[in-house]
Amino acid sequence: MAAVTVTSRRTMTDSVGVLEQSGRVLAPGGSGRSAETWKRHIIRQLKHRDRSQHAMFQDLIRLYTQLLEKTSLAKGILSCSIRCPSPDSSSSISSLLHQKNQVEKTTGELAYQAVELQQEIKIKECVLEERHVRLEEERRRLVDASETHQELQERVKQVQEENGALKMEYDALLERQRAAEARLREENIRGHHLLEEMIHLKQQAAARMNSRNERRSRAREANLQKELQTAARSKVNIDSSSSSAPTSRSTSPKNEDRSTESTERKHTRLFRSASATSPRILTSIKELFDRRRRGQSVCSLEEDLMCPVRICLSARVPARALQVLEAHEQGINAARFSSSSDLLATGGTDRVVKLWEVRAGSLTHRATLDGSTEGITCIDFEPRGLLILAASYDKSALLWRLDDSVPKLTLTGHSRKVTAARFSSLSHQVVTGSADRTIRLWDLQRAACVQEVEVASFCSDLVCSENCIISGHYDCKIRVWDARAESCVQELPAQGKVTSLDLSADHRQLLSCCRDDCLQLVDLRRWSNDRMCFRAEGFKCGSDCTKAVISPDGCFVAAGSADGTVYIWNVSTSNLETCLPDKHSSSISAVSWSLSGEYVVSVDKSRRAVLWSDI
């Protein structure tokens, strides 16, 4: 190694010398300055290389030079000792051998260290190679990550563009929705106005028709009056001995004078002319009175004839339950017997009216009347029993024939739920009460409202008597309306919110049920402040639509309590007659008593109907 280093140094020195000589040769030429410049540059590069290589191998060269020096020294000593033996040769030889051993030991240690260093270098080269490999992998992963990052950025830009487009579409749809809602509100307002205008036009048309019919009726009455007066002015004297009128009129004038004188002397009787009893005048009188009785309606005479109603002489106080059944799919709000007592109607929140036949102490389902879009609140039968009327939460009242499940008429016009619907004293008219604080009179032939009365409070129930309507309200008042004058003629105070009203069969007594847990009975003939109150321990009015009932003979009143018990009071003593418990699991909403006095039905909010009797 030293020889190589010395040789390289000599080569470099010779190169430098050659370069210097070539520089001296080129100097006289004129380009000597440029030659010295590149020469110095090369010399600097060579010196830099020598310094860098010398620094790298300086330690190794130094150690190796020391080793060589020691080796050469040991060889020289051995050769001298061999050539010139001396007395102290043995000691010197031993010392030399010792030195040799130390040198060999040092050489071995250095060799071992060199081997270890070579192994460490190999290990470090392996580690370095692994790190290079990992570095390349990380670089590749970095390149892949940057490519993925770039793709994701492009995807983000694309998604942002799509979101922007969707946002613009959403804004456009939102504007369209707002415009559509504004148009819908305008159309609703317009429809409301058109409905009001249509109702107003119908009312005007009804008023015009009523006035025209009134004028015609007055003209007919005037013509009939004239005919009657004309017939009354024509006088005929009839002889009791004559066999026939033509014989008396066929006599001669002389005989006529004689007969006249003779009849003047006798008791004579004045008769109307035969024209007064002619079929034409009798027909006119019949038509006049028929039109008066029908109230100017277009109903036929057959429809206006009233059917006889059974009269109950003595009602039976129920003692036990004959039948308990789940009558509806949801809670039941109303129950009503027909006038013949063989048919029961129930209605509830499942939006249907069910008809039940009452036979031999049991209820048999007969038909289901649908058509309402919301729950039923009140039910009423026509006195003849051919039609059934129901009030509904869908702001309307519906009319069915008993042989048809589709409504014959739907009376719409109220702005809130209809809480009561009853047939008036005229079979072609019905009265409805609503939560919109109005009471309306409807003509069924025209399916139009002919009268509307505004009240000061929520109407909970109403009943119809002859020429008057009685309504109960949430402001703790009972109002009596004259149907002819369209005005309130009397107000009766109540102790709480009125939940129901009921009339006795003879229309002489009015029963009211209030939220103060009290039933009151008023005599309509006197309208006095003296009232009969019915209370009982445990009785509690369960809701704002709890319906109480009077027995057909007017001797008992019945109502259902919030605890599922039916309470019955005696009217004559004002005492509790009996209680019917343990058949209802929730608040009783309505009680109905058959007109025959034989059965009582109670219904509750848990879909249950119970048929009671004393049998």
Side-chain angles (χ1 to χ4, degrees):
M1 181 64 72
V4 173
T5 305
V6 171
T7 303
S8 63
R9 286 182 178 178
R10 288 177 180 177
T11 303
M12 185 180 65
T13 306
D14 294 340
S15 300
V16 172
V18 172
L19 289 173
E20 288 178 353
Q21 291 177 2
S22 63
R24 292 192 189 97
V25 172
L26 292 174
S31 59
R33 182 176 296 177
S34 59
E36 290 178 359
T37 302
W38 65 263
K39 181 176 64 177
R40 284 195 298 269
H41 177 70
I42 292 175
I43 291 170
R44 283 195 302 270
Q45 293 294 327
L46 291 174
K47 288 181 178 180
H48 177 70
R49 187 182 68 177
D50 182 61
R51 284 195 301 269
S52 62
Q53 291 180 356
H54 179 73
M56 292 176 61
F57 298 98
Q58 186 176 3
D59 295 335
L60 185 60
I61 292 170
R62 181 175 54 81
L63 293 173
Y64 190 72
T65 302
Q66 291 178 359
L67 182 61
L68 289 177
E69 290 177 353
K70 290 180 180 181
T71 304
S72 60
L73 180 62
K75 287 181 179 180
I77 293 170
L78 288 174
S79 63
C80 291
S81 61
I82 291 171
R83 286 193 305 266
C84 300
S86 61
D88 298 330
S89 59
S90 59
S91 62
S92 61
I93 289 170
S94 63
S95 64
L96 289 173
L97 291 174
H98 179 70
Q99 291 178 359
K100 183 180 179 181
N101 292 331
Q102 289 181 352
V103 170
E104 289 178 355
K105 185 177 180 181
T106 304
T107 304
E109 290 178 356
L110 291 174
Y112 181 74
Q113 290 178 1
V115 172
E116 287 183 349
L117 289 174
Q118 288 178 357
Q119 291 179 355
E120 289 180 359
I121 289 170
K122 289 181 181 179
I123 292 171
K124 289 183 178 180
E125 286 178 353
C126 293
V127 172
L128 183 61
E129 186 177 359
E130 290 178 358
R131 290 183 178 180
H132 280 299
V133 173
R134 290 176 60 186
L135 181 61
E136 291 297 329
E137 291 179 356
E138 293 297 331
R139 285 176 181 174
R140 288 195 297 270
R141 290 176 62 186
L142 180 61
V143 172
D144 295 338
S146 12
E147 292 177 356
T148 306
H149 178 66
Q150 187 175 0
E151 292 178 357
L152 290 175
Q153 283 183 343
E154 294 177 356
R155 180 60 180 168
V156 166
K157 291 181 180 179
Q158 184 179 359
V159 171
Q160 287 178 351
E161 292 176 357
E162 292 177 357
N163 288 339
L166 291 175
K167 181 67 167 54
M168 294 176 62
E169 293 179 2
Y170 173 75
D171 293 337
L173 290 175
L174 187 61
E175 292 295 331
R176 290 175 58 186
Q177 180 188 2
R178 290 174 180 172
E181 288 178 352
R183 289 196 300 270
L184 178 62
R185 287 193 296 269
E186 292 176 357
E187 291 297 329
N188 288 334
I189 295 172
R190 182 182 175 188
H192 184 67
H193 290 332
L194 290 176
L195 181 62
E196 290 181 351
E197 291 178 0
M198 183 179 66
I199 294 174
H200 182 64
L201 291 176
K202 284 189 175 183
Q203 290 177 351
Q204 289 181 349
R208 287 195 298 270
M209 184 177 293
N210 289 335
S211 62
R212 186 165 56 251
N213 292 336
E214 187 68 23
R215 288 195 299 269
R216 290 178 181 176
S217 176
R218 290 177 182 175
R220 290 193 185 96
E221 289 180 2
N223 293 333
L224 181 59
Q225 188 69 22
K226 289 180 181 179
E227 291 180 2
L228 292 176
Q229 290 177 359
T230 304
R233 283 195 298 269
S234 60
K235 300 178 181 180
V236 178
N237 293 325
I238 300 176
D239 191 2
S240 60
S241 61
S242 61
S243 61
S244 63
T247 305
S248 63
R249 285 197 289 271
S250 63
T251 57
S252 61
K254 186 176 180 179
N255 293 332
E256 288 179 1
D257 295 338
R258 290 177 182 175
S259 63
T260 302
E261 291 176 358
S262 62
T263 53
E264 287 178 355
R265 288 191 298 267
K266 297 179 181 180
H267 295 285
T268 61
R269 184 175 181 180
L270 184 62
F271 287 90
R272 291 180 179 176
S273 173
S275 62
T277 58
S278 64
R280 182 171 61 86
I281 294 180
L282 292 177
T283 304
S284 300
I285 295 172
K286 184 178 180 181
E287 290 178 356
L288 175 63
F289 283 98
D290 287 343
R291 290 182 182 275
R292 283 183 177 178
R293 183 177 58 79
R294 292 199 302 269
Q296 306 297 336
S297 71
V298 294
C299 293
S300 63
L301 182 61
E302 182 181 356
E303 291 181 355
D304 279 342
L305 291 176
M306 302 298 291
C307 293
V309 179
R310 297 182 182 179
I311 299 175
C312 177
L313 299 178
S314 178
R316 300 176 182 178
V317 178
R320 66 184 185 90
L322 300 181
Q323 187 179 3
V324 180
L325 72 159
E326 301 290 333
H328 286 255
E329 296 180 357
Q330 297 180 18
I332 308 174
N333 297 328
R336 193 81 172 182
F337 278 99
S338 65
S339 58
S340 59
S341 300
D342 59 353
L343 196 63
L344 173 71
T346 58
T349 54
D350 57 355
R351 302 177 294 181
V352 297
V353 174
K354 291 189 176 182
L355 300 179
W356 309 84
E357 291 184 354
V358 184
R359 293 181 180 177
S362 65
L363 298 176
T364 305
H365 182 258
R366 171 177 172 179
T368 299
L369 309 179
D370 52 11
S372 176
T373 59
E374 293 188 27
I376 303 298
T377 60
C378 181
I379 297 175
D380 193 24
F381 275 99
E382 184 197 19
R384 296 179 300 152
L386 301 179
L387 301 175
I388 184 171
L389 180 67
S392 173
Y393 278 97
D394 63 359
K395 308 174 187 178
S396 67
L398 297 94
L399 184 73
W400 290 273
R401 292 183 182 273
L402 295 185
D403 56 355
D404 190 0
S405 62
V406 179
K408 177 184 177 183
L409 287 177
T410 301
L411 307 177
T412 58
H414 286 287
S415 61
R416 295 183 64 184
K417 66 178 180 179
V418 180
T419 55
R422 305 286 186 185
F423 285 96
S424 70
S425 56
L426 299 176
S427 62
H428 66 280
Q429 290 183 347
V430 298
V431 182
T432 58
S434 171
D436 61 2
R437 300 182 180 182
T438 61
I439 296 175
R440 299 192 178 203
L441 180 66
W442 305 81
D443 189 338
L444 298 181
Q445 295 300 321
R446 289 180 290 171
C449 176
V450 294
Q451 289 183 14
E452 180 180 356
V453 179
E454 294 185 358
V455 293
S457 178
F458 186 113
C459 178
S460 58
D461 199 5
L462 58 85
V463 291
C464 296
S465 182
E466 198 162 333
N467 296 327
C468 71
I469 300 169
I470 306 173
S471 58
H473 301 271
Y474 275 14
D475 62 352
C476 306
K477 289 184 180 180
I478 300 173
R479 293 176 172 87
V480 182
W481 306 86
D482 190 341
R484 296 165 295 184
E486 303 182 18
S487 60
C488 180
V489 296
Q490 191 170 2
E491 287 187 357
L492 302 176
Q495 299 299 322
K497 290 182 181 179
V498 180
T499 64
S500 70
L501 297 175
D502 190 35
L503 274 178
S504 61
D506 55 3
H507 289 193
R508 294 180 179 180
Q509 293 177 320
L510 174 68
L511 177 67
S512 63
C513 180
C514 302
R515 287 309 301 269
D516 63 340
D517 305 330
C518 176
L519 276 64
Q520 293 184 349
L521 191 65
V522 181
D523 192 341
L524 298 180
R525 294 170 295 180
R526 292 193 295 267
W527 291 107
S528 62
N529 292 326
D530 296 334
R531 306 179 187 182
M532 299 182 65
C533 296
F534 303 94
R535 297 180 183 272
E537 184 179 357
F539 173 74
K540 184 175 180 60
C541 183
S543 67
D544 291 341
C545 57
T546 300
K547 295 176 175 58
V549 67
I550 306 177
S551 64
D553 59 354
C555 296
F556 303 96
V557 296
S561 176
D563 60 357
T565 303
V566 179
Y567 289 80
I568 300 177
W569 290 268
N570 192 314
V571 173
S572 60
T573 62
S574 300
N575 295 327
L576 184 64
E577 184 74 16
T578 186
C579 293
L580 306 174
D582 302 333
K583 296 300 179 182
H584 290 280
S585 59
S586 63
S587 175
I588 297 176
S589 55
V591 178
S592 181
W593 210 312
S594 65
L595 295 183
S596 63
E598 185 177 0
Y599 300 107
V600 173
V601 166
S602 57
V603 295
D604 61 21
K605 297 293 185 180
S606 62
R607 307 176 296 173
R608 183 173 295 180
V610 181
L611 180 65
W612 307 87
S613 183
D614 63 339
I615 300 174

